[in-house]
Structure formats: structure tokens, C-alpha cells
Amino acid sequence: MDGETLWDWGYALEVLPQLLQAMRITLMATVCGMGLALVGGLFLAILRRSRIPALSRAGFWIIEFIRGTPLLIQLYFYFYVLPDFGIRFSPFATGLFGLGLHYSAYMAEVYRAGIDSVPKGQWEAAVALNFSRRRTFFTLILPQAVPPVIPAAGNYLVAMFKDTPLLSAITVAELLYTAKDDIGSQTFRYIEPMTLVGVLFLAVSLISARGIRGLERKMELKT
Amino acid sequence: MNNTAEPFIQIRNLHKSYGDLKVLRGINLDIPLGEMVSVIGPSGSGKSTLLRVLMTLERPERGGVRVGGEALYDVNAEGGTVLPPPDRFRALRNRIGMVFQHFNLFPHMSVLRNVTEAPVHVLGVPREKAKAEGLRYLDEVGLADKADAYPAQLSGGQKQRVAIARALAMHPEIMLFDEITSALDPELVGGILDLLARLGKKREMTMLIVTHHMRFAEQSSDRVLFFDDGVILEDGKPGDIFTQPEHERTRNFLRSVLEI
Ligand SMILES: Nc1ncnc2c1ncn2[C@@H]1O[C@H](COP(=O)(O)OP(=O)(O)OP(=O)(O)O)[C@@H](O)[C@H]1O
Ligand SMILES: [Mg+2]
């Protein structure tokens, strides 16, 4: 060893701003991805409940397919295969779509659990009052179905956050990509950037987990 | 068809099964407009099922139902039940209301919102008008001061009053009540039965009331049906059924419930 220290604080501080910048991309991917998953999951959950057997079966298979294959392969597919069919987006947009769709399948199950938790009598009251199916679902059932599953959705939010490094595989400059390809491969020092990435992930995850536990407790108090 | 001679509600040979279990085994029943009918009978005899079929919560397999001269359930040549076109079905369902044993209020809406939501979104009543009317119905059931409360803040008796107001606000011609006092504390039952009797006296609706309160059935209704094993075994004036029932089974049932 030629006097090189194992951990160089000066270097760590030097790369931190760049990592924090990349953290913004990571958080943005998480938040936007979750937004997509909330909408996509609801859509899949409704598809799954369709009275038309072909639609409900389609919903079932989309969900099974997405949950049954690794996110990384899905991302590669959207990034490397779809352009062959003339479908081309930026890496970030492709990543968002991949994350959002992947977690839509999980969110669909979350919605389903919530909908199943609404007592049958609520649907019956809606029939007795002659509400349309659409209004029954969106204004009577859904508002009761969502609150109990907010903690479950929160857990998927954290899971999705921890999955964002997979976007580095399709060249999105999020935290991992920045640490490995933008910083590490230039300086050949990986220990500081990689450690910082780990610490940043840990910090955000711990804070979110706390928030979710708080939410859970609030839900319990309400019921 | 001569609609003027037809009874308001006409039920013919109605059958309903759950799998192998035959729950309604040929119900025939005519009810004139404005009548208040009590339905009694042992547990599992099909009382709730008849109400649920009339509310379209369950579909019968055989037989028909006509309401005000229109088919709610039509019959084909073999006697099987046929549903009318969806728009007709929905239009007809608007004329029927139901109050449930467990209230089934919408917990995320205020009391007034529970009462106005269907008039506004199903009947198209302007919201302000629906509110004014909703308050009138809440007043009628004695709960005008609870308009802004949420269901969770109410007692069982108050919840059931809201459920009644909610059903009334749709102006149903037929109201179905399925054991609406069974989930209530005993001291709250009397008030709800009084309310039912008062509604019946107004003769604005045709009422079908499933109840375990024999005294109520005897004193407040125009007519009593005794259900047994999926058929109407006895049908008559309360005075006759309670004092001189035709069937041994009715006598046994009455003896068993009146002893308790
Ligand atoms: N959804 C269902 N699936 C299967 N069986 C059912 C269903 N609903 C009711 N049943 C059965 O049908 C029979 C009649 O039920 P119903 O609720 O009409 O009786 P009831 O006369 O209202 O009795 P109770 O006085 O106990 O309320 C019962 O044996 C019941 O178990
Ligand atoms: Mg019953």
C-alpha cells in the first residue's frame, strides 16, 4: 500500500454533491413511478373485476406475468427490444414506465385486498339505492377500500425506491449509476461513493418506514 | 293485459335455490297498493330471500314478479325467469327501497350526505333541494340535529333511523324491511317499531316487513304472511293468524316464539 488511506473524507465530501444531485433523480423516479403504479394498479384491479370474462382473464394474466418475471428483464425488454419495433423513449421515461408497470401489478393486489375488505352490505345498499356500478365503485366502495391498505401501499413505495438502482442498467443516471459509472470509473475509487449510496438509501428507507408505521398506527386508531 | 285489475305487486310461482338448497319453492302473492304486510316464520324459511329477490339482490330461477303492471322478472314459456332490458330493470328498481338489519350506512359520509347522495346522483335532484328534503326526512325520523354527524358517532337506533330516512328520500313505492330491529339494543327497538307503524299508517308506500316481533305484526300490520320451508303457509288478517291459525306448524311456531 503506497500510503493510500482506506477512507478519504476529502474525496467523500467532494463527490457528495454529485450524489445528492443523483438522489433527486432516484426520488423523482420513485415518486413518479408510484404515481403511475397507483393509477395503473387501479386500472388493473378494475380490469380484473370486469364482468366480461375475456377482460378479467386478461387482467389476471397481465398481473401474473408482470409479477412472475424480474423487473430487470422487463426493463431490458423495454429498453433494448421495443426500439426494434419503433417504440423509443428516453432512458428515464423507459425506466419510469418499467417501474410503474411492474408495481402496478402489485398495487392491483393491494387495491383488491382493500376492495375485498369492504363489507358486502355496502354493495347491497348501493343496489337498493339504485346507484350505477361506476358510481358505486368510485364514490362508495373505493373511498372505504383505500385507507386500510395505505400502509401496504407504503411498503411498496419503499420497495420501489430500493429497486430504482436497477434503472442504472438502462443508463439512467440515478444514484448507483452516478456512483459507479460517473464517479467510480473515472477515479477508480469506489469505496466512498458506494458507501455514501448505501447510507443515502438506508437513511431514506428508515425515514419512510417510520412514516409508514405512523400511518399504520393512525389507521388502527381509526377502526 | 288489464292493468287496472292487476294487484300492485304480483308474485307468481317464484323459485330460488342456492346450489341444491331450495330456499323459495313457489311463492305466489298479490299485494295491493299501500298495504302493510308483516312476514313471520322460522329461521331459514326464506323470508330474507324473498325480500332480496324483490330488491334484485338475488335472481330467481323460475317465476315472475310484476310491480305496478310492469315485469320486474318476466317468465318464458317454460316458466323460467327472464330479466327485462337493463334500463327497464333499473327504472323499476327505483320504485323499490330496502332497509337492512345491519343498516349498511356509508361510513365515510355524513348523515345528511348518506341521505342525499342517491337522490342527487340517481334521481338527478339538485343538491340544494336534496339537502332541504333530506333534512325533512331526518326530521321525520327524529334526527334533524344529527345531519352533520358521521355514522360511527350514532347509536344503533339512530343508525337505523338514518337508514330509513335514506331509503325514504328515494320516494320508493315499495319498502322492504328485513329484521331492522334485530341488531339493536332492546331499549331502542320500540322506537323503531313505532316509526314503522307511523309510516304504515300514512299509506304512502306498500310495505313488506320481516319481523320477529309478533305483537308488532299483530297490532300494526294489515296482513301477516307465515313462511315455512320456502312457501307461504298461511296468509291472512293478523287477528285470524294469531288467534286461529289453520296449520299445526303455524300454531307450533307461534307457541315457541310467544313463550320466549
Ligand atoms: N348466499 C347464500 N348462499 C347459500 N345459502 C344461502 C344464502 N343466503 C341464504 N342462504 C340459505 O337460504 C336459507 C334461507 O335463508 P333466508 O335468509 O331467506 O332465511 P330467513 O327466513 O330470512 O331466516 P332468518 O329468520 O334466520 O333471517 C337458509 O338456509 C340460508 O342458509
Ligand atoms: Mg332473514
Side-chain angles (χ1 to χ4, degrees):
Chain A
M1 299 269 143
D2 43 272
E4 205 174 300
T5 49
L6 192 59
W7 177 267
D8 182 345
W9 277 107
Y11 176 60
L13 284 177
E14 196 180 306
V15 299
L16 188 59
Q18 206 179 342
L19 288 175
L20 287 176
Q21 195 65 27
M23 182 68 160
R24 285 185 39 195
I25 303 281
T26 292
L27 289 177
M28 206 154 81
T30 308
V31 171
C32 297
M34 195 60 186
L36 280 176
L38 286 174
V39 176
L42 182 58
F43 177 79
L44 286 177
I46 292 171
L47 195 64
R48 191 77 188 76
R49 295 183 60 84
S50 170
R51 275 192 292 191
I52 302 162
L55 289 184
S56 123
R57 209 159 327 121
F60 172 80
W61 282 113
I62 293 171
I63 292 169
E64 288 302 303
F65 191 83
I66 294 175
R67 295 201 310 170
T69 53
L71 175 56
L72 185 58
I73 292 176
Q74 290 168 18
L75 289 172
Y76 273 142
F77 185 83
Y78 305 136
F79 193 65
Y80 292 110
V81 180
L82 287 187
D84 290 348
F85 299 92
I87 303 168
R88 195 183 301 272
F89 291 106
S90 72
F92 186 71
T94 307
L96 270 192
F97 174 78
L99 265 184
L101 189 60
H102 189 77
Y103 277 90
S104 290
Y106 289 96
M107 282 307 301
E109 294 297 301
V110 170
Y111 280 114
R112 192 169 70 118
I115 292 164
D116 287 348
S117 76
V118 177
K120 219 171 83 242
Q122 295 288 307
W123 294 91
E124 296 184 347
V127 170
L129 293 165
N130 214 3
F131 283 104
S132 67
R133 271 176 67 87
R134 174 184 296 249
R135 191 158 277 287
T136 299
F137 185 76
F138 284 103
T139 68
L140 303 180
I141 303 300
L142 205 53
Q144 299 182 59
V146 167
V149 295
I150 286 176
N155 285 329
Y156 279 120
L157 179 68
V158 175
M160 180 188 259
F161 171 67
K162 290 191 291 189
D163 267 351
T164 52
L166 289 173
L167 299 189
S168 67
I170 57 168
T171 75
V172 176
E174 47 66 64
L175 262 179
L176 180 66
Y177 186 90
T178 304
K180 178 168 130 314
D181 295 73
D182 289 349
I183 301 172
S185 63
Q186 305 294 316
T187 61
F188 300 105
R189 278 205 66 109
Y190 288 96
I191 187 159
E192 289 87 356
M194 284 304 170
T195 306
L196 285 174
V197 165
V199 169
L200 286 173
F201 267 103
L202 184 63
V204 173
S205 293
L206 284 178
I207 293 168
S208 323
R210 259 225 142 129
I212 292 164
R213 261 207 308 281
L215 265 178
E216 261 167 0
R217 208 159 305 137
K218 231 182 186 168
M219 292 296 137
E220 272 164 26
L221 285 182
K222 254 192 180 169
T223 48
Chain B
M1 271 294 158
N2 186 354
N3 284 347
T4 51
E6 189 177 313
F8 183 55
I9 302 175
Q10 191 182 65
I11 301 173
R12 288 289 174 273
N13 196 30
L14 202 63
H15 287 259
K16 169 73 193 169
S17 315
Y18 294 107
D20 289 338
L21 184 68
K22 294 193 169 78
V23 178
L24 298 181
R25 301 185 301 127
I27 300 289
N28 289 288
L29 181 61
D30 287 345
I31 304 176
L33 190 68
E35 198 169 56
M36 179 157 167
V37 182
S38 284
V39 181
I40 62 172
S43 182
S45 56
K47 307 181 297 291
S48 297
T49 303
L50 175 67
L51 262 56
R52 293 171 58 79
V53 165
L54 292 176
M55 192 63 258
T56 72
L57 293 168
E58 310 281 354
R59 304 278 185 269
E61 291 97 36
R62 297 179 62 73
V65 173
R66 297 176 68 81
V67 170
E70 281 191 78
L72 178 65
Y73 298 114
D74 233 329
V75 279
N76 60 22
E78 290 84 49
T81 302
V82 183
L83 296 190
D87 51 331
R88 282 257 316 281
F89 194 56
R90 261 200 97 191
L92 214 51
R93 183 157 66 193
N94 247 343
R95 302 165 67 174
I96 307 170
M98 183 160 177
V99 182
F100 301 88
Q101 180 177 351
H102 295 288
F103 331 126
N104 302 352
L105 295 179
F106 305 126
H108 58 302
M109 292 180 178
S110 72
V111 163
L112 185 58
R113 190 77 191 268
N114 262 279
V115 176
T116 57
E117 193 72 358
V120 169
H121 294 294
V122 178
L123 301 180
V125 179
R127 194 173 281 281
E128 286 312 308
K129 187 167 173 245
K131 274 188 180 172
E133 215 172 271
L135 285 171
R136 227 171 15 78
Y137 282 114
L138 285 175
D139 193 39
E140 176 160 5
V141 300
L143 279 182
D145 55 327
K146 294 288 184 194
D148 295 323
Y150 279 79
Q153 300 166 308
L154 304 179
S155 73
Q158 289 171 330
K159 282 183 192 155
Q160 200 54 292
R161 284 166 194 271
V162 175
I164 292 170
R166 180 176 72 172
L168 288 175
M170 290 297 280
H171 308 292
E173 295 164 43
I174 301 170
M175 266 274 244
L176 311 168
F177 299 88
D178 191 4
E179 291 193 31
I180 65 168
T181 57
S182 294
L184 301 183
D185 291 337
E187 72 270 21
L188 299 173
V189 170
I192 297 289
L193 293 179
D194 289 345
L195 175 57
L196 273 185
R198 190 145 50 78
L199 289 173
K201 285 216 186 71
K202 296 197 338 185
R203 307 233 159 256
E204 284 168 357
M205 302 180 296
T206 304
M207 295 164 63
L208 242 77
I209 303 166
V210 174
T211 182
H212 286 309
H213 296 281
M214 296 305 138
R215 186 190 299 262
F216 171 83
E218 184 170 11
Q219 294 178 346
S220 302
S221 42
D222 303 314
R223 178 176 172 192
V224 175
L225 308 177
F226 175 69
F227 262 64
D228 191 52
D229 200 15
V231 295
I232 298 174
L233 193 63
E234 211 143 347
D235 173 356
K237 295 254 166 271
D240 297 340
I241 289 194
F242 285 99
T243 54
Q244 41 191 336
E246 273 178 44
H247 294 85
E248 184 62 30
R249 293 192 67 97
T250 318
R251 265 192 293 279
N252 288 340
F253 172 76
L254 288 175
R255 200 178 310 124
S256 70
V257 292
L258 291 175
E259 266 171 13
I260 298 169

